[in-house]
Amino acid sequence: MKTIFDKTEIKNLKLKNRLFRSATWEALADENGHFDEEIYNIYDELAAGGVGCIISGFTSVSDGDQYFGGMARLSNDGLIPEHKRLVDTVHKHGVPIIVQLALGEYQNKEIDELTENDTHTIREMFISAADRAVLAGYDGVQIHAAHGFFLSRYISPAYNRRADPEQLIIDIAKAVREHHNDLHITMKINSDDFMYGGLDENGSMRICLACVPFLDSIEVSGNGTSVAGIKAGVNEAYFKRFALALAEKADIPVILVGGHRSIENMNRVLNEGGIECLSLSRPLIREPDLINRWQRGECSPAKCVSCNMCYRTPAHKCIFRLRGIE
Ligand SMILES: Cc1cc2nc3c(=O)[nH]c(=O)nc-3n(C[C@H](O)[C@H](O)[C@H](O)COP(=O)(O)O)c2cc1C
C-alpha cells in the first residue's frame, strides 16, 4: 500500500513524502525578472509547511518574453544570485526545489513561421537556462510543455503539423542531461488540450512515451488546468485516467496534478495503479502548512474551495487568507 506520507526517492530527489507543490506563478518579478522580496517569504512558508518538493512558478528562458505579467526569468546570468537565494531559502528546510522553465512567446511568431534558426535559438535558451538553474543550486528543471505555453503549442497539432514535434523537447532534455547528469529533469504536459484539432490523449501518450527515455519524471496536467468547484471525494484528481494509463506504460515516475483535496482520495489514486507522486497548487495557497497539518493527524480535506480568486489577487494569495477568514 502506498500512502502520500511515504518517504520516496525519485532520480536524485530525496522526498519526505509523495507530495509536490505544483508550479504556481506568483507574479512577483518585475519586467526584467527581478524578484520582489515577498517571493522569499512565500517559499519560506511553503518549504516549512511539509511538502516533499517544490516546483517554482513558470520561469521564462527568454529576456524578451512578456507572455504573463510578473513572470520570473532565468534568461541571463544577472538573475542567478536571486534564484540562488530562493533555492537557499527552500533548502534551509531540507526540501528540494525544481525550477519550471517556460517560454511564453517567441518574438510574437506563430509556430508555423519559425525557421530552423528560431528552433535552434529556442533550444539553446532552454539549455542555457538549465545551466543557470544548476549554478543557482536547483535540484531539477521542469520543461513546461503544458497550458498553452510555447512548447505546449509546439507539440499540439492545432499549431504544428510537423511529424515529430516532440524532437525539440527531446533535444533540450538530452543536452541538459549531457551536461548535468545529476539534475532531475521533468516535464509538465497536457493530457488533452481540450480544443478542436489540439493534442488529445492519444497524441499526448505518443509524445510522452517518445520523451520518456530522456526524462526522470512526467507531471500530467491538461488545459483548463485549475478546475473550479472541486469537492473532496466528488471530482478530485480530474486528469487521473490519463496519468494511470501513462504510468502503466512509462518506466519513469508519473506525477499527477489537479484537484487533490483529501487524504482518502489521494491514497486511493496512488493505489489504483502506478502513479508515484501527486502535486498540489491551490490548496497550498490557502494552507501553506497543509501537509504538516495532515501529518499531525488533522486530516480534514484541504480548505481550498477552488474559487480561483487566487489568479486575481496580488502575489496570487488566497482571498480567504487576505480577508482573515479561516
Ligand atoms: C495562481 C496560480 C498560478 C499557477 N501558475 C502555474 C505555473 O506557473 N505553471 C504551471 O504549470 N501551472 C500553474 N498553475 C496550475 C497549477 O500548477 C495546477 O496545475 C492547477 O492549479 C491544478 O492543481 P490544484 O487543483 O492543486 O490547484 C497555477 C495555478 C494557480 C491557481
Side-chain angles (χ1 to χ4, degrees):
M1 276 278 287
K2 289 182 270 182
T3 86
I4 55 169
F5 298 123
D6 297 337
K7 277 204 183 103
T8 312
E9 225 177 302
I10 65 174
K11 164 92 186 186
N12 300 328
L13 294 178
K14 283 198 171 61
L15 309 174
K16 57 183 164 191
N17 53 53
R18 295 182 184 271
L19 301 176
F20 282 66
R21 194 295 289 258
S22 195
T24 304
W25 159 55
E26 286 91 5
L28 277 172
D30 68 17
E31 67 276 13
N32 297 315
H34 294 293
F35 286 138
D36 186 282
E37 278 295 307
E38 180 60 14
I39 195 108
Y40 305 107
N41 300 332
I42 290 177
Y43 279 73
D44 194 36
E45 197 179 24
L46 263 175
V51 78
C53 180
I54 293 177
I55 304 176
S56 78
F58 51 68
T59 299
S60 184
V61 299
S62 164
D63 277 331
D65 190 359
Q66 302 294 342
Y67 195 54
F68 277 99
M71 281 178 93
R73 293 176 199 283
L74 249 179
S75 45
N76 62 71
D77 289 358
L79 294 164
I80 294 172
E82 291 165 64
H83 281 268
K84 185 170 183 326
R85 184 173 161 202
L86 193 72
V87 169
D88 291 346
T89 303
V90 170
H91 280 173
K92 201 176 66 197
H93 298 279
V95 175
I97 176 166
I98 290 172
V99 61
Q100 185 183 57
L101 297 181
L103 180 62
E105 61 196 359
Y106 180 69
Q107 300 184 344
N108 291 321
K109 282 192 185 170
E110 297 295 331
I111 302 286
D112 54 12
E113 292 171 7
L114 295 172
T115 62
E116 280 284 308
N117 206 19
D118 289 325
T119 24
H120 174 80
T121 305
I122 290 163
R123 189 174 64 227
E124 292 306 310
M125 287 195 300
F126 274 92
I127 296 167
S128 306
D131 288 341
R132 292 184 198 106
V134 171
L135 293 173
Y138 282 106
D139 303 278
V141 293
Q142 180 170 68
I143 299 170
H144 192 7
H147 309 164
F149 275 74
F150 175 86
L151 289 176
S152 163
R153 295 197 301 280
Y154 195 85
I155 56 173
S156 171
Y159 299 96
N160 191 348
R161 281 179 293 276
R162 287 174 179 80
D164 60 346
E166 67 277 8
Q167 195 58 44
L168 180 54
I169 294 174
I170 292 173
D171 288 346
I172 293 168
K174 259 168 111 169
V176 175
R177 166 74 69 242
E178 208 179 294
H179 299 136
H180 311 294
N181 189 37
D182 50 1
L183 195 67
H184 189 89
I185 307 174
T186 182
M187 164 174 82
K188 190 169 187 177
I189 189 168
N190 286 345
S191 49
D192 202 312
D193 285 346
F194 300 111
M195 66 185 281
Y196 184 72
L199 197 68
D200 60 11
E201 289 192 1
N202 289 333
S204 181
M205 182 64 77
R206 193 189 67 71
I207 288 182
C208 284
L209 294 178
C211 293
V212 155
F214 309 97
L215 298 171
D216 299 316
S217 64
I218 294 180
E219 186 183 15
V220 169
S221 185
N223 267 356
T225 169
S226 307
V227 173
I230 301 301
K231 298 233 168 6
V234 179
N235 51 355
E236 295 184 68
Y238 38 82
F239 300 123
K240 181 182 75 173
R241 189 188 57 225
F242 180 83
L244 280 170
L246 177 61
E248 220 167 87
K249 297 193 174 135
D251 58 1
I252 55 172
V254 170
I255 305 164
L256 173 63
V257 71
H260 305 301
R261 300 293 182 268
S262 67
I263 297 178
E264 292 79 2
N265 203 74
M266 286 189 284
N267 283 340
R268 199 175 309 134
V269 170
L270 287 175
N271 289 292
E272 268 176 67
I275 296 170
E276 288 287 329
C277 295
L278 306 171
S279 53
L280 304 89
S281 168
R282 292 167 292 173
L284 298 172
I285 297 179
R286 175 79 191 264
E287 296 174 87
D289 69 333
L290 175 63
I291 316 305
N292 282 345
R293 163 162 89 71
W294 280 339
Q295 282 213 280
R296 283 197 304 269
E298 297 166 31
C299 295
S300 58
K303 289 182 189 164
C304 172
V305 297
S306 319
C307 64
N308 285 345
M309 292 289 274
C310 47
Y311 274 107
R312 297 198 266 140
T313 53
H316 296 166
K317 298 211 168 163
C318 174
I319 190 93
F320 286 82
R321 286 185 83 197
L322 286 173
R323 295 187 178 185
I325 302 169
E326 253 303 289

mmCIF file with all atom_site columns, all heavy atoms in Angstrom, residues 224-231 235-236 238 258-259 261 282 304-309 311:
data_model
loop_
_atom_site.group_PDB
_atom_site.id
_atom_site.type_symbol
_atom_site.label_atom_id
_atom_site.label_alt_id
_atom_site.label_comp_id
_atom_site.label_asym_id
_atom_site.label_entity_id
_atom_site.label_seq_id
_atom_site.pdbx_PDB_ins_code
_atom_site.Cartn_x
_atom_site.Cartn_y
_atom_site.Cartn_z
_atom_site.occupancy
_atom_site.B_iso_or_equiv
_atom_site.pdbx_formal_charge
_atom_site.auth_seq_id
_atom_site.auth_comp_id
_atom_site.auth_asym_id
_atom_site.auth_atom_id
_atom_site.pdbx_PDB_model_num
ATOM 1   N N   . GLY A 1 224 ? -7.189  24.089 -19.182 1.00 0.00 ? 224 GLY A N   1
ATOM 2   C CA  . GLY A 1 224 ? -8.254  24.324 -18.195 1.00 0.00 ? 224 GLY A CA  1
ATOM 3   C C   . GLY A 1 224 ? -7.788  23.764 -16.869 1.00 0.00 ? 224 GLY A C   1
ATOM 4   O O   . GLY A 1 224 ? -8.536  23.139 -16.121 1.00 0.00 ? 224 GLY A O   1
ATOM 5   N N   . THR A 1 225 ? -6.505  24.016 -16.606 1.00 0.00 ? 225 THR A N   1
ATOM 6   C CA  . THR A 1 225 ? -5.792  23.309 -15.544 1.00 0.00 ? 225 THR A CA  1
ATOM 7   C C   . THR A 1 225 ? -6.404  23.403 -14.146 1.00 0.00 ? 225 THR A C   1
ATOM 8   O O   . THR A 1 225 ? -6.458  22.425 -13.421 1.00 0.00 ? 225 THR A O   1
ATOM 9   C CB  . THR A 1 225 ? -4.327  23.804 -15.515 1.00 0.00 ? 225 THR A CB  1
ATOM 10  O OG1 . THR A 1 225 ? -3.704  23.339 -14.348 1.00 0.00 ? 225 THR A OG1 1
ATOM 11  C CG2 . THR A 1 225 ? -4.232  25.320 -15.534 1.00 0.00 ? 225 THR A CG2 1
ATOM 12  N N   . SER A 1 226 ? -6.905  24.613 -13.797 1.00 0.00 ? 226 SER A N   1
ATOM 13  C CA  . SER A 1 226 ? -7.385  24.814 -12.421 1.00 0.00 ? 226 SER A CA  1
ATOM 14  C C   . SER A 1 226 ? -8.912  24.763 -12.415 1.00 0.00 ? 226 SER A C   1
ATOM 15  O O   . SER A 1 226 ? -9.588  25.789 -12.425 1.00 0.00 ? 226 SER A O   1
ATOM 16  C CB  . SER A 1 226 ? -6.893  26.159 -11.881 1.00 0.00 ? 226 SER A CB  1
ATOM 17  O OG  . SER A 1 226 ? -5.493  26.270 -12.013 1.00 0.00 ? 226 SER A OG  1
ATOM 18  N N   . VAL A 1 227 ? -9.451  23.559 -12.407 1.00 0.00 ? 227 VAL A N   1
ATOM 19  C CA  . VAL A 1 227 ? -10.908 23.379 -12.464 1.00 0.00 ? 227 VAL A CA  1
ATOM 20  C C   . VAL A 1 227 ? -11.537 23.959 -11.190 1.00 0.00 ? 227 VAL A C   1
ATOM 21  O O   . VAL A 1 227 ? -11.035 23.738 -10.077 1.00 0.00 ? 227 VAL A O   1
ATOM 22  C CB  . VAL A 1 227 ? -11.256 21.879 -12.627 1.00 0.00 ? 227 VAL A CB  1
ATOM 23  C CG1 . VAL A 1 227 ? -12.754 21.641 -12.510 1.00 0.00 ? 227 VAL A CG1 1
ATOM 24  C CG2 . VAL A 1 227 ? -10.733 21.368 -13.964 1.00 0.00 ? 227 VAL A CG2 1
ATOM 25  N N   . ALA A 1 228 ? -12.614 24.720 -11.373 1.00 0.00 ? 228 ALA A N   1
ATOM 26  C CA  . ALA A 1 228 ? -13.278 25.358 -10.220 1.00 0.00 ? 228 ALA A CA  1
ATOM 27  C C   . ALA A 1 228 ? -14.242 24.378 -9.550  1.00 0.00 ? 228 ALA A C   1
ATOM 28  O O   . ALA A 1 228 ? -14.673 23.405 -10.151 1.00 0.00 ? 228 ALA A O   1
ATOM 29  C CB  . ALA A 1 228 ? -14.029 26.599 -10.694 1.00 0.00 ? 228 ALA A CB  1
ATOM 30  N N   . GLY A 1 229 ? -14.542 24.667 -8.304  1.00 0.00 ? 229 GLY A N   1
ATOM 31  C CA  . GLY A 1 229 ? -15.589 23.929 -7.604  1.00 0.00 ? 229 GLY A CA  1
ATOM 32  C C   . GLY A 1 229 ? -15.262 22.483 -7.279  1.00 0.00 ? 229 GLY A C   1
ATOM 33  O O   . GLY A 1 229 ? -16.134 21.613 -7.337  1.00 0.00 ? 229 GLY A O   1
ATOM 34  N N   . ILE A 1 230 ? -14.004 22.212 -6.933  1.00 0.00 ? 230 ILE A N   1
ATOM 35  C CA  . ILE A 1 230 ? -13.641 20.829 -6.571  1.00 0.00 ? 230 ILE A CA  1
ATOM 36  C C   . ILE A 1 230 ? -14.195 20.500 -5.176  1.00 0.00 ? 230 ILE A C   1
ATOM 37  O O   . ILE A 1 230 ? -14.062 21.293 -4.241  1.00 0.00 ? 230 ILE A O   1
ATOM 38  C CB  . ILE A 1 230 ? -12.106 20.658 -6.563  1.00 0.00 ? 230 ILE A CB  1
ATOM 39  C CG1 . ILE A 1 230 ? -11.520 20.978 -7.939  1.00 0.00 ? 230 ILE A CG1 1
ATOM 40  C CG2 . ILE A 1 230 ? -11.711 19.247 -6.119  1.00 0.00 ? 230 ILE A CG2 1
ATOM 41  C CD1 . ILE A 1 230 ? -12.053 20.131 -9.062  1.00 0.00 ? 230 ILE A CD1 1
ATOM 42  N N   . LYS A 1 231 ? -14.813 19.319 -5.083  1.00 0.00 ? 231 LYS A N   1
ATOM 43  C CA  . LYS A 1 231 ? -15.321 18.870 -3.784  1.00 0.00 ? 231 LYS A CA  1
ATOM 44  C C   . LYS A 1 231 ? -14.636 17.556 -3.416  1.00 0.00 ? 231 LYS A C   1
ATOM 45  O O   . LYS A 1 231 ? -14.548 16.641 -4.256  1.00 0.00 ? 231 LYS A O   1
ATOM 46  C CB  . LYS A 1 231 ? -16.839 18.629 -3.862  1.00 0.00 ? 231 LYS A CB  1
ATOM 47  C CG  . LYS A 1 231 ? -17.641 19.862 -4.199  1.00 0.00 ? 231 LYS A CG  1
ATOM 48  C CD  . LYS A 1 231 ? -18.732 20.086 -3.179  1.00 0.00 ? 231 LYS A CD  1
ATOM 49  C CE  . LYS A 1 231 ? -19.424 21.435 -3.257  1.00 0.00 ? 231 LYS A CE  1
ATOM 50  N NZ  . LYS A 1 231 ? -19.083 22.324 -4.361  1.00 0.00 ? 231 LYS A NZ  1
ATOM 51  N N   . ASN A 1 235 ? -15.092 15.185 -7.184  1.00 0.00 ? 235 ASN A N   1
ATOM 52  C CA  . ASN A 1 235 ? -14.485 15.418 -8.513  1.00 0.00 ? 235 ASN A CA  1
ATOM 53  C C   . ASN A 1 235 ? -12.996 15.744 -8.398  1.00 0.00 ? 235 ASN A C   1
ATOM 54  O O   . ASN A 1 235 ? -12.477 16.568 -9.130  1.00 0.00 ? 235 ASN A O   1
ATOM 55  C CB  . ASN A 1 235 ? -15.237 16.524 -9.257  1.00 0.00 ? 235 ASN A CB  1
ATOM 56  C CG  . ASN A 1 235 ? -15.410 17.775 -8.405  1.00 0.00 ? 235 ASN A CG  1
ATOM 57  O OD1 . ASN A 1 235 ? -15.046 17.795 -7.229  1.00 0.00 ? 235 ASN A OD1 1
ATOM 58  N ND2 . ASN A 1 235 ? -15.958 18.823 -8.978  1.00 0.00 ? 235 ASN A ND2 1
ATOM 59  N N   . GLU A 1 236 ? -12.323 15.072 -7.474  1.00 0.00 ? 236 GLU A N   1
ATOM 60  C CA  . GLU A 1 236 ? -10.875 15.274 -7.325  1.00 0.00 ? 236 GLU A CA  1
ATOM 61  C C   . GLU A 1 236 ? -10.113 14.586 -8.475  1.00 0.00 ? 236 GLU A C   1
ATOM 62  O O   . GLU A 1 236 ? -10.688 13.799 -9.213  1.00 0.00 ? 236 GLU A O   1
ATOM 63  C CB  . GLU A 1 236 ? -10.412 14.666 -5.990  1.00 0.00 ? 236 GLU A CB  1
ATOM 64  C CG  . GLU A 1 236 ? -10.983 15.361 -4.757  1.00 0.00 ? 236 GLU A CG  1
ATOM 65  C CD  . GLU A 1 236 ? -10.424 14.775 -3.463  1.00 0.00 ? 236 GLU A CD  1
ATOM 66  O OE1 . GLU A 1 236 ? -9.228  14.962 -3.203  1.00 0.00 ? 236 GLU A OE1 1
ATOM 67  O OE2 . GLU A 1 236 ? -11.187 14.126 -2.734  1.00 0.00 ? 236 GLU A OE2 1
ATOM 68  N N   . TYR A 1 238 ? -8.769  15.156 -11.496 1.00 0.00 ? 238 TYR A N   1
ATOM 69  C CA  . TYR A 1 238 ? -9.523  15.123 -12.758 1.00 0.00 ? 238 TYR A CA  1
ATOM 70  C C   . TYR A 1 238 ? -8.721  14.723 -13.998 1.00 0.00 ? 238 TYR A C   1
ATOM 71  O O   . TYR A 1 238 ? -9.303  14.546 -15.053 1.00 0.00 ? 238 TYR A O   1
ATOM 72  C CB  . TYR A 1 238 ? -10.271 16.444 -12.979 1.00 0.00 ? 238 TYR A CB  1
ATOM 73  C CG  . TYR A 1 238 ? -9.545  17.711 -12.569 1.00 0.00 ? 238 TYR A CG  1
ATOM 74  C CD1 . TYR A 1 238 ? -8.616  18.300 -13.410 1.00 0.00 ? 238 TYR A CD1 1
ATOM 75  C CD2 . TYR A 1 238 ? -9.803  18.307 -11.335 1.00 0.00 ? 238 TYR A CD2 1
ATOM 76  C CE1 . TYR A 1 238 ? -7.948  19.450 -13.039 1.00 0.00 ? 238 TYR A CE1 1
ATOM 77  C CE2 . TYR A 1 238 ? -9.136  19.466 -10.957 1.00 0.00 ? 238 TYR A CE2 1
ATOM 78  C CZ  . TYR A 1 238 ? -8.213  20.035 -11.814 1.00 0.00 ? 238 TYR A CZ  1
ATOM 79  O OH  . TYR A 1 238 ? -7.556  21.175 -11.451 1.00 0.00 ? 238 TYR A OH  1
ATOM 80  N N   . GLY A 1 258 ? -3.887  18.309 -10.128 1.00 0.00 ? 258 GLY A N   1
ATOM 81  C CA  . GLY A 1 258 ? -5.247  18.701 -10.461 1.00 0.00 ? 258 GLY A CA  1
ATOM 82  C C   . GLY A 1 258 ? -6.303  18.190 -9.511  1.00 0.00 ? 258 GLY A C   1
ATOM 83  O O   . GLY A 1 258 ? -6.738  17.050 -9.619  1.00 0.00 ? 258 GLY A O   1
ATOM 84  N N   . GLY A 1 259 ? -6.695  19.050 -8.549  1.00 0.00 ? 259 GLY A N   1
ATOM 85  C CA  . GLY A 1 259 ? -7.870  18.774 -7.743  1.00 0.00 ? 259 GLY A CA  1
ATOM 86  C C   . GLY A 1 259 ? -7.688  17.786 -6.610  1.00 0.00 ? 259 GLY A C   1
ATOM 87  O O   . GLY A 1 259 ? -8.669  17.159 -6.194  1.00 0.00 ? 259 GLY A O   1
ATOM 88  N N   . ARG A 1 261 ? -7.652  17.013 -2.914  1.00 0.00 ? 261 ARG A N   1
ATOM 89  C CA  . ARG A 1 261 ? -8.129  17.753 -1.744  1.00 0.00 ? 261 ARG A CA  1
ATOM 90  C C   . ARG A 1 261 ? -8.218  16.906 -0.474  1.00 0.00 ? 261 ARG A C   1
ATOM 91  O O   . ARG A 1 261 ? -8.235  17.456 0.616   1.00 0.00 ? 261 ARG A O   1
ATOM 92  C CB  . ARG A 1 261 ? -9.532  18.355 -2.024  1.00 0.00 ? 261 ARG A CB  1
ATOM 93  C CG  . ARG A 1 261 ? -9.585  19.329 -3.209  1.00 0.00 ? 261 ARG A CG  1
ATOM 94  C CD  . ARG A 1 261 ? -8.809  20.603 -2.932  1.00 0.00 ? 261 ARG A CD  1
ATOM 95  N NE  . ARG A 1 261 ? -8.888  21.554 -4.031  1.00 0.00 ? 261 ARG A NE  1
ATOM 96  C CZ  . ARG A 1 261 ? -8.013  21.630 -5.044  1.00 0.00 ? 261 ARG A CZ  1
ATOM 97  N NH1 . ARG A 1 261 ? -6.988  20.797 -5.096  1.00 0.00 ? 261 ARG A NH1 1
ATOM 98  N NH2 . ARG A 1 261 ? -8.162  22.534 -5.994  1.00 0.00 ? 261 ARG A NH2 1
ATOM 99  N N   . ARG A 1 282 ? -3.375  25.087 -5.581  1.00 0.00 ? 282 ARG A N   1
ATOM 100 C CA  . ARG A 1 282 ? -4.280  25.972 -4.831  1.00 0.00 ? 282 ARG A CA  1
ATOM 101 C C   . ARG A 1 282 ? -4.424  25.615 -3.351  1.00 0.00 ? 282 ARG A C   1
ATOM 102 O O   . ARG A 1 282 ? -4.459  26.525 -2.509  1.00 0.00 ? 282 ARG A O   1
ATOM 103 C CB  . ARG A 1 282 ? -5.643  26.017 -5.541  1.00 0.00 ? 282 ARG A CB  1
ATOM 104 C CG  . ARG A 1 282 ? -5.584  26.727 -6.890  1.00 0.00 ? 282 ARG A CG  1
ATOM 105 C CD  . ARG A 1 282 ? -6.839  26.503 -7.710  1.00 0.00 ? 282 ARG A CD  1
ATOM 106 N NE  . ARG A 1 282 ? -6.962  25.119 -8.136  1.00 0.00 ? 282 ARG A NE  1
ATOM 107 C CZ  . ARG A 1 282 ? -8.016  24.596 -8.751  1.00 0.00 ? 282 ARG A CZ  1
ATOM 108 N NH1 . ARG A 1 282 ? -9.066  25.368 -9.001  1.00 0.00 ? 282 ARG A NH1 1
ATOM 109 N NH2 . ARG A 1 282 ? -8.048  23.327 -9.113  1.00 0.00 ? 282 ARG A NH2 1
ATOM 110 N N   . CYS A 1 304 ? -9.178  24.739 0.648   1.00 0.00 ? 304 CYS A N   1
ATOM 111 C CA  . CYS A 1 304 ? -9.348  25.425 -0.634  1.00 0.00 ? 304 CYS A CA  1
ATOM 112 C C   . CYS A 1 304 ? -10.704 25.072 -1.236  1.00 0.00 ? 304 CYS A C   1
ATOM 113 O O   . CYS A 1 304 ? -11.060 23.900 -1.327  1.00 0.00 ? 304 CYS A O   1
ATOM 114 C CB  . CYS A 1 304 ? -8.229  24.999 -1.589  1.00 0.00 ? 304 CYS A CB  1
ATOM 115 S SG  . CYS A 1 304 ? -8.449  25.593 -3.270  1.00 0.00 ? 304 CYS A SG  1
ATOM 116 N N   . VAL A 1 305 ? -11.454 26.114 -1.662  1.00 0.00 ? 305 VAL A N   1
ATOM 117 C CA  . VAL A 1 305 ? -12.760 25.856 -2.280  1.00 0.00 ? 305 VAL A CA  1
ATOM 118 C C   . VAL A 1 305 ? -12.689 25.978 -3.803  1.00 0.00 ? 305 VAL A C   1
ATOM 119 O O   . VAL A 1 305 ? -13.704 25.994 -4.483  1.00 0.00 ? 305 VAL A O   1
ATOM 120 C CB  . VAL A 1 305 ? -13.855 26.784 -1.708  1.00 0.00 ? 305 VAL A CB  1
ATOM 121 C CG1 . VAL A 1 305 ? -14.072 26.530 -0.234  1.00 0.00 ? 305 VAL A CG1 1
ATOM 122 C CG2 . VAL A 1 305 ? -13.513 28.267 -1.964  1.00 0.00 ? 305 VAL A CG2 1
ATOM 123 N N   . SER A 1 306 ? -11.459 26.088 -4.329  1.00 0.00 ? 306 SER A N   1
ATOM 124 C CA  . SER A 1 306 ? -11.249 26.165 -5.781  1.00 0.00 ? 306 SER A CA  1
ATOM 125 C C   . SER A 1 306 ? -12.074 27.282 -6.418  1.00 0.00 ? 306 SER A C   1
ATOM 126 O O   . SER A 1 306 ? -12.709 27.085 -7.457  1.00 0.00 ? 306 SER A O   1
ATOM 127 C CB  . SER A 1 306 ? -11.586 24.819 -6.453  1.00 0.00 ? 306 SER A CB  1
ATOM 128 O OG  . SER A 1 306 ? -11.126 23.740 -5.697  1.00 0.00 ? 306 SER A OG  1
ATOM 129 N N   . CYS A 1 307 ? -12.061 28.442 -5.802  1.00 0.00 ? 307 CYS A N   1
ATOM 130 C CA  . CYS A 1 307 ? -12.807 29.587 -6.348  1.00 0.00 ? 307 CYS A CA  1
ATOM 131 C C   . CYS A 1 307 ? -12.004 30.293 -7.438  1.00 0.00 ? 307 CYS A C   1
ATOM 132 O O   . CYS A 1 307 ? -12.541 31.088 -8.203  1.00 0.00 ? 307 CYS A O   1
ATOM 133 C CB  . CYS A 1 307 ? -13.174 30.567 -5.232  1.00 0.00 ? 307 CYS A CB  1
ATOM 134 S SG  . CYS A 1 307 ? -11.729 31.340 -4.430  1.00 0.00 ? 307 CYS A SG  1
ATOM 135 N N   . ASN A 1 308 ? -10.688 30.010 -7.462  1.00 0.00 ? 308 ASN A N   1
ATOM 136 C CA  . ASN A 1 308 ? -9.775  30.597 -8.453  1.00 0.00 ? 308 ASN A CA  1
ATOM 137 C C   . ASN A 1 308 ? -9.586  32.107 -8.310  1.00 0.00 ? 308 ASN A C   1
ATOM 138 O O   . ASN A 1 308 ? -9.044  32.764 -9.214  1.00 0.00 ? 308 ASN A O   1
ATOM 139 C CB  . ASN A 1 308 ? -10.176 30.236 -9.891  1.00 0.00 ? 308 ASN A CB  1
ATOM 140 C CG  . ASN A 1 308 ? -9.824  28.792 -10.218 1.00 0.00 ? 308 ASN A CG  1
ATOM 141 O OD1 . ASN A 1 308 ? -9.047  28.169 -9.493  1.00 0.00 ? 308 ASN A OD1 1
ATOM 142 N ND2 . ASN A 1 308 ? -10.386 28.261 -11.277 1.00 0.00 ? 308 ASN A ND2 1
ATOM 143 N N   . MET A 1 309 ? -10.011 32.670 -7.187  1.00 0.00 ? 309 MET A N   1
ATOM 144 C CA  . MET A 1 309 ? -9.757  34.095 -6.949  1.00 0.00 ? 309 MET A CA  1
ATOM 145 C C   . MET A 1 309 ? -8.251  34.356 -6.819  1.00 0.00 ? 309 MET A C   1
ATOM 146 O O   . MET A 1 309 ? -7.788  35.468 -7.045  1.00 0.00 ? 309 MET A O   1
ATOM 147 C CB  . MET A 1 309 ? -10.464 34.556 -5.674  1.00 0.00 ? 309 MET A CB  1
ATOM 148 C CG  . MET A 1 309 ? -11.960 34.556 -5.771  1.00 0.00 ? 309 MET A CG  1
ATOM 149 S SD  . MET A 1 309 ? -12.570 35.869 -6.837  1.00 0.00 ? 309 MET A SD  1
ATOM 150 C CE  . MET A 1 309 ? -12.642 37.212 -5.663  1.00 0.00 ? 309 MET A CE  1
ATOM 151 N N   . TYR A 1 311 ? -6.020  33.683 -8.753  1.00 0.00 ? 311 TYR A N   1
ATOM 152 C CA  . TYR A 1 311 ? -5.462  34.168 -10.021 1.00 0.00 ? 311 TYR A CA  1
ATOM 153 C C   . TYR A 1 311 ? -5.551  35.692 -10.115 1.00 0.00 ? 311 TYR A C   1
ATOM 154 O O   . TYR A 1 311 ? -4.911  36.295 -10.962 1.00 0.00 ? 311 TYR A O   1
ATOM 155 C CB  . TYR A 1 311 ? -6.222  33.564 -11.207 1.00 0.00 ? 311 TYR A CB  1
ATOM 156 C CG  . TYR A 1 311 ? -5.721  32.208 -11.648 1.00 0.00 ? 311 TYR A CG  1
ATOM 157 C CD1 . TYR A 1 311 ? -6.447  31.042 -11.382 1.00 0.00 ? 311 TYR A CD1 1
ATOM 158 C CD2 . TYR A 1 311 ? -4.532  32.083 -12.362 1.00 0.00 ? 311 TYR A CD2 1
ATOM 159 C CE1 . TYR A 1 311 ? -5.993  29.803 -11.810 1.00 0.00 ? 311 TYR A CE1 1
ATOM 160 C CE2 . TYR A 1 311 ? -4.074  30.858 -12.791 1.00 0.00 ? 311 TYR A CE2 1
ATOM 161 C CZ  . TYR A 1 311 ? -4.797  29.725 -12.521 1.00 0.00 ? 311 TYR A CZ  1
ATOM 162 O OH  . TYR A 1 311 ? -4.343  28.500 -12.949 1.00 0.00 ? 311 TYR A OH  1
#
